[in-house]
Structures are given as structure tokens and as C-alpha cells.
Amino acid sequence: MSSDRFTLFQETLQTSSKWIREITAALPSADEQQAYHLLCATLRTLRDRLRPDDAIHLAAQLPVLIRGLYYDGWRLSDVPMRIRSRKEFVAHVATRYHARPIEDLEPGVRAVLATLSRNVDLDETTSILRTLPEELRELWPAHLVEAA
């Protein structure tokens, strides 16, 4: 393996680990395994809620490792899903969450979306928010919703 590829792999592993730590820090009762599964379930639910071109633009902003998790299992024939409410979004996340149970998933979803918004381009986040119904925007950090 060339040195450049190995460096890329190390960087994406470090960045992905940082995202997991950020989610875990926002949820004191969650461990890193739960944070990982929340990240996967939330990103995949968001991906499937977005139009394919918006989902692809978001993917371009993700670290390589997380991008692979994001695309895993994507079926274009099934998107976009018609999720209109916070409750419905969190319920879809719950169907994809496969780790030790968390009593209330909504704070976990919020932690993932806050981590996402801190680590991707502001214009991309704003663009995504503009495509979502108002009730789904409420899952994102308030300062971003106001900017959109």
C-alpha cells in the first residue's frame, strides 16, 4: 500500500473516531458502540429521506469511512422516503439501530445531526435543511435552522 493511501486510511479512521467521541460526549449514558450504531442509523435514515442528488452531495462531505457506512444498503428505488415528522424520523432510526437499547433515541438523533453539522460544510447543511419539512428541521441545532 502506498504511503498516501495509508495516510488517508489513518486520517479517515481518526476523523471517524472523533465523530463517534463527539456523539458519545453528547450522550453521557451511551458508549461508543451505541454512538456508532446511532451514527449509522441516523445517517442512513437521513440519506433515504433526501432526494438522491442531495444525498450524494452530502456523502461527498463525509469522511471516507463514514461515507462507506452511509452508502451501505442504499437502494435508489426506495428513496426518497416520505418522512414528515420528528416522531416518524426517530421511528425509522429505531428500526435501523442495532445496539444495546437507548431509552429515548431522539437525543441521540440530535447528537448525530449536531456532529454532522459541525463537520460538514455550512452551505451543505443549509441546503439539506431547506429540503426538509419544518418539523424535521427541529432535530438540528437551532442556529442552523435559523440560518436556513
Side-chain angles (χ1 to χ4, degrees):
M1 183 182 306
S2 77
S3 177
D4 290 341
R5 283 191 215 145
F6 186 71
T7 300
L8 174 64
F9 182 77
Q10 288 178 319
E11 288 173 2
T12 194
L13 187 58
Q14 289 173 352
T15 303
S16 300
S17 295
K18 177 183 167 267
W19 284 38
I20 298 294
R21 286 191 305 274
E22 286 182 29
I23 296 164
T24 305
L27 301 168
S29 64
D31 59 30
E32 288 187 349
Q33 181 183 24
Q34 289 170 301
Y36 163 79
H37 285 281
L38 272 169
L39 175 66
C40 291
T42 302
L43 286 180
R44 290 172 184 157
T45 301
L46 177 62
R47 171 202 72 196
D48 290 348
R49 172 58 181 84
L50 298 173
R51 293 183 317 249
D53 58 327
D54 293 326
I56 291 167
H57 286 288
L58 175 58
Q61 298 280 319
L62 301 175
V64 173
L65 182 58
I66 294 174
R67 188 179 316 146
L69 299 170
Y70 175 85
Y71 276 126
D72 187 42
W74 195 27
R75 293 175 37 166
L76 284 172
S77 61
D78 295 340
V79 297
M81 292 190 310
R82 298 281 181 213
I83 301 171
R84 307 286 308 160
S85 70
R86 286 186 353 241
K87 183 177 178 180
E88 197 177 359
F89 190 90
V90 173
H92 277 280
V93 171
T95 65
R96 292 176 161 164
Y97 176 77
H98 304 292
R100 189 169 47 83
I102 293 177
E103 188 172 318
D104 182 5
L105 280 180
E106 186 169 319
V109 169
R110 289 176 179 277
V112 170
L113 295 175
T115 298
L116 176 68
S117 65
R118 279 191 301 274
N119 290 284
V120 301
D121 183 73
L122 178 60
D123 290 337
E124 184 62 35
T125 304
T126 303
S127 177
I128 289 168
L129 284 168
R130 288 182 182 144
T131 70
L132 299 175
E134 187 174 333
E135 191 172 339
L136 287 183
R137 290 183 206 167
E138 294 172 7
L139 291 169
W140 296 73
H143 71 280
L144 293 172
V145 175
E146 293 167 8

